[in-house]
Each structure stands twice: as structure tokens, then as C-alpha cells.
Amino acid sequence: SQTIHQWPATLVQPVGSPLSLECTVEGTSNPNLYWYRQAAGRGLQLLFYSVGIGQISSEVPQNLSASRPQDRQFILSSKKLLLSDSGFYLCAWRPRTGTNEKLFFGSGTQLSVL
Amino acid sequence: GNSVTQMEGPVTLSEEAFLTINCTYTATGYPSLFWYVQYPGEGLQLLLKATKADDKGSNKGFEATYRKETTSFHLEKGSVQVSDSAVYFCALSPRGGATNKLIFGTGTLLAVQP
């Protein structure tokens, strides 16, 4: 069966420090991968999505970047965190093919930038 | 463009009360519609979905009907339990395309008291 792993679960970082959040998917190949952010009172916002290795699309201009060095690995990064980067970050995947549009989510990372 | 509007929370109910969480959408064409649930400290899970007009999605006693004429997908449950306390997200997936992005509403916090 397919599983998605996201870590760390919680992270407290000072302003200006770098960030790296990692997400891996097991049990499937060629998934579409997504990073969402849930900011307080603002719901879920799609940040990045990827349809293949090295292929990243950004949905909103921001201080973050994403990379997909391997088929089932999706990394969210920042060189210098801002206070506004605080939030709950969710990685998700879905099969590349087929008509099933369901997204499978990781358990999330709560990021606090102080 | 595509967007989802949900009723603001929090919604506070007593156990066994009737629940309605309103959701309306704006989309080009005929999107698929979803309700996701986020229990405290966890990621999102698909609760139910509907892929065409007049479809009714149902799961765990929750129901929602895809109403094209009112562009709505309201979530209902006849008798809520304390264990239903969570944040509920309405979402849509635009028809077509390879990315199958989900566009979420802001979420509605449901608190059920014993």
C-alpha cells in the first residue's frame, strides 16, 4: 500500500535561518506531488506542485522554493525564513494517471518562525 | 477563476445536533467537489466527494450533494458526535489538466460538546 511520510512534525526556527522540509512517498511511482500551507485563519493554500523529477510549478510568489530530486521525494526549502512563513505545511500526492482525483496528505509540519 | 467559499466558524453544537456547513464554489466547467476533514494535530483526510451534478457523496454519516444550479456542496450530518470535532474543508478540482490541483476553502472548525 502507498504511504506518505513528512518530517519533522514540528519545527521552531529563528527569522533568517534556512529551512528544509522533506516529504517522501512509498508504494507508488510517478506521483504528482504538492506542498500546501495552512496559515492561521487563512485555510489551505497550494504553494508548489510537481508532475515529475526536476519539474516544479509555483502557485504563488513567496520566500520558499521546492525541489524534486527523486521521483518520490519532494523538498520544501528556504534560504532565510520570514515571520510570515509560520504555518502548517502539508505534503500531498496523487497518482499521475487514472481518474481518481483524491489527494493523499501527510501528517503535516507545524513551523513556527520566531 | 476557481474558488471555494465556506461558512466561517467556529460552529459549536451539542452532541446529536444536526450539522450543516455551507460551501459554494466558482469554477469554469464542471469541477469535482470534495470535503476533507482535519482532526486535531493531523493532516487532511478525504471525507467524501462528488464528481458530477446531482451526485451525493456520503461517508461516516456525513452527506453532501453536488448542486450545479446553486453551485453548492453543503455538508450535512443528522446527529453529530464529540468525535466529529475537527476542521472541515470544502475543495474543488477543476476538470481536465494533468496537475489535478485541489483548491480549498478556508476551513470550518466544528466543536461538538457532550
Side-chain angles (χ1 to χ4, degrees), chain B residues 30 79 94 100-101:
Chain B
Y30 302 101
S79 176
N100 279 315
K101 296 177 288 185

Side-chain angles (χ1 to χ4, degrees), chain A residues 36-38 42-46 90 105, chain B residues 44 89 104-106:
Chain A
Y36 282 85
R37 176 171 59 200
Q38 184 180 12
R42 296 186 59 184
L44 274 171
Q45 181 182 40
L46 178 62
L90 286 159
F105 284 86
Chain B
L44 275 71
F89 291 90
F104 286 88
T106 53

Side-chain angles (χ1 to χ4, degrees), chain A residues 30-67:
Chain A
N30 300 315
N32 284 355
L33 296 171
Y34 307 84
W35 277 111
Y36 282 85
R37 176 171 59 200
Q38 184 180 12
R42 296 186 59 184
L44 274 171
Q45 181 182 40
L46 178 62
L47 302 177
F48 301 97
Y49 66 89
S50 171
V51 298
I53 296 174
Q55 300 180 57
I56 308 295
S57 296
S58 175
E59 286 293 291
V60 294
Q62 58 196 299
N63 182 44
L64 303 168
S65 62
S67 62

Side-chain angles (χ1 to χ4, degrees), chain A residues 3-90:
Chain A
T3 56
I4 179 169
H5 302 281
Q6 191 180 336
W7 68 92
T10 59
L11 190 60
V12 180
Q13 292 285 101
V15 169
S17 64
L19 173 73
S20 180
L21 301 181
E22 188 163 345
C23 172
T24 59
V25 181
E26 296 178 357
T28 187
S29 57
N30 300 315
N32 284 355
L33 296 171
Y34 307 84
W35 277 111
Y36 282 85
R37 176 171 59 200
Q38 184 180 12
R42 296 186 59 184
L44 274 171
Q45 181 182 40
L46 178 62
L47 302 177
F48 301 97
Y49 66 89
S50 171
V51 298
I53 296 174
Q55 300 180 57
I56 308 295
S57 296
S58 175
E59 286 293 291
V60 294
Q62 58 196 299
N63 182 44
L64 303 168
S65 62
S67 62
R68 185 170 177 174
Q70 300 180 46
D71 180 46
R72 291 169 291 173
Q73 184 184 29
F74 204 24
I75 298 172
L76 185 68
S77 304
S78 173
K79 293 182 179 178
K80 289 186 178 182
L81 283 168
L82 305 173
L83 287 174
S84 57
D85 292 325
S86 294
F88 190 57
Y89 289 83
L90 286 159

Side-chain angles (χ1 to χ4, degrees), chain B residues 29-67:
Chain B
Y30 302 101
S32 294
L33 301 173
F34 305 81
W35 277 100
Y36 278 78
V37 58
Q38 183 181 27
Y39 296 104
E42 299 182 11
L44 275 71
Q45 306 172 27
L46 179 66
L47 180 60
L48 53 85
K49 73 174 187 178
T51 58
K52 61 183 188 296
D54 300 324
D55 268 3
K56 177 184 284 188
S58 61
N59 185 26
K60 300 181 181 180
F62 291 89
E63 292 183 341
T65 301
Y66 190 142
R67 302 286 189 199

